[in-house]
Amino acid sequence: MKMKKSFLVATAIVATMSLSSGSVFAAEPPVPTASVVSTNPGGITPMTDYVAIENASLNNGGNSWTHQAGFNYGRIYVTNTSSQTLTMYLSYRSSSGSKINIGTWTVSGNGTKTITTTNAGGQTFYLDYNTPNGTVSGTVNVRASDVPF
C-alpha cells in the first residue's frame, strides 16, 4: 500500500510539472505572410506608419529592413527600370536564425509590383532579385503600418 501511495504522489507531481512547463517556453511569433496587390492602391491612410525604405536602388545584393514592433503590416512597391523580367524573392529571418522564403514574384520589364505583408512587426525582411542577364535596376519603397493597407 505504501508503494502504491508513493507511486500516486510521484504521478501527481509529474502531471503538475507537465502542465506548468508549457508556460516556461516563449511562444513563437506569428509567421509573416505576403501577397500581391494588383496595383499600387495609394490613398490608404494608416493610423500610424513609417517609411522603412524610400526610393532605394535595386541591386544584386538585395535590400533588407526590420519592421518595428507593433507595425504588423507592410507594403512593398518595386519599380523595375530594366527591359528584363525581374524575379524577386521575399524572405524573413526566423527566430532560429534561418532565412525563410515567403514569396517569389516576377515584375515585367519596365513594370511595377506591389506586395503587402502581415505579421511583420519585429521581423527582419530580405528582398533579393535577379534577371536573365544578371543586371537589376529600379527602386524599392517599403512602408510599415499598424493597420492593414
Side-chain angles (χ1 to χ4, degrees), residues 82-93:
S82 164
S83 60
Q84 299 279 311
T85 296
L86 176 78
T87 302
M88 46 188 230
Y89 310 88
L90 179 63
S91 56
Y92 76 100
R93 181 79 56 197

Side-chain angles (χ1 to χ4, degrees), residues 60-126:
N60 289 328
N63 298 87
S64 64
W65 68 95
T66 299
H67 263 35
Q68 295 174 11
F71 291 85
N72 288 323
Y73 305 94
R75 183 171 61 201
I76 305 160
Y77 185 72
V78 175
T79 301
N80 177 13
T81 57
S82 164
S83 60
Q84 299 279 311
T85 296
L86 176 78
T87 302
M88 46 188 230
Y89 310 88
L90 179 63
S91 56
Y92 76 100
R93 181 79 56 197
S94 72
S95 59
S96 67
S98 302
K99 197 172 171 182
I100 299 173
N101 185 31
I102 58 172
T104 302
W105 301 275
T106 58
V107 184
S108 60
N110 298 306
T112 63
K113 183 76 70 177
T114 303
I115 309 291
T116 58
T117 59
T118 60
N119 299 325
Q123 301 286 353
T124 298
F125 289 92
Y126 303 89

Side-chain angles (χ1 to χ4, degrees), residues 56-60 63 78-80 86 127 129 136-140:
S57 294
L58 303 185
N59 60 62
N60 289 328
N63 298 87
V78 175
T79 301
N80 177 13
L86 176 78
L127 194 56
Y129 325 92
V136 299
S137 67
T139 58
V140 61

Side-chain angles (χ1 to χ4, degrees), residues 29-69:
V31 174
T33 60
S35 58
V36 172
V37 177
S38 58
T39 60
N40 184 6
I44 298 171
T45 307
M47 298 299 286
T48 305
D49 69 337
Y50 71 94
V51 176
I53 296 179
E54 186 170 14
N55 290 323
S57 294
L58 303 185
N59 60 62
N60 289 328
N63 298 87
S64 64
W65 68 95
T66 299
H67 263 35
Q68 295 174 11

